[in-house]
Amino acid sequence: MSFESLKPSVISILSDTGSRDEKLKNLCQFLSDSVDYYNWVGFYFANHDTKTLHLGPYVGAETDHTVIPFGKGICGQVAVSNQNFVVPDVAAQDNYIACSFTVKSEIVVPLFVNDVNIGQIDIDSHVLDPFTEKDEEFLEFVNLEVAKLF
């Protein structure tokens, strides 16, 4: 599997008919199915008035974390920093919100529309330290494509 080979499918999924949420859910499913260490794939969207993130479409285990305050956990930190955040080992993070004992690592990449961080893609893995620069670059591409839906 090469990330380059996945890009045409990302574009195709986001070009399909259907609602934005349907497209995002299909994208989450595609990413989860295509990358063996992407065990939970979802989107959080920012409410800048309340300074909270709200769970959007996702694929994976149920989560209680449907609303996350800015600054809390990995996702909340990305909402503030506007920077990618790769966590090789969630057990080593002080400001981590545990979703499941099976989660070992996480990557969060912000989603920008008109230079505003409107949310993020969040991926959990059951594998320690699987994420590389190639994951970051690919997920930045994914978010550039997703941004076109807004």
Side-chain angles (χ1 to χ4, degrees), residues 16-122:
D16 278 348
T17 58
S19 71
R20 180 169 54 208
D21 279 358
E22 288 169 332
K23 293 175 186 183
L24 292 177
K25 177 90 169 184
N26 292 340
L27 177 61
C28 290
Q29 189 65 60
F30 171 74
L31 295 175
S32 178
D33 291 346
S34 300
V35 184
D36 60 356
Y37 54 92
Y38 284 14
N39 303 114
W40 190 98
V41 180
F43 288 90
Y44 281 93
F45 293 100
N47 179 324
H48 290 280
D49 294 334
T50 61
K51 297 203 179 316
T52 52
L53 293 166
H54 297 264
L55 182 62
Y58 73 94
V59 170
E62 292 275 326
T63 180
D64 293 332
H65 304 117
T66 58
V67 179
I68 300 173
F70 283 15
K72 186 168 168 108
I74 307 309
C75 290
Q77 290 177 74
V78 169
V80 174
S81 73
N82 298 322
Q83 300 290 318
N84 297 352
F85 199 158
V86 178
V87 182
D89 180 359
V90 296
Q93 276 294 314
D94 290 338
N95 189 5
Y96 173 71
I97 303 172
C99 293
S100 165
F101 69 92
T102 58
V103 175
K104 305 291 186 219
S105 56
E106 183 173 9
I107 184 171
V108 179
V109 176
L111 171 61
F112 295 96
V113 174
N114 298 323
D115 297 323
V116 176
N117 181 349
I118 66 153
Q120 53 206 223
I121 190 168
D122 177 20

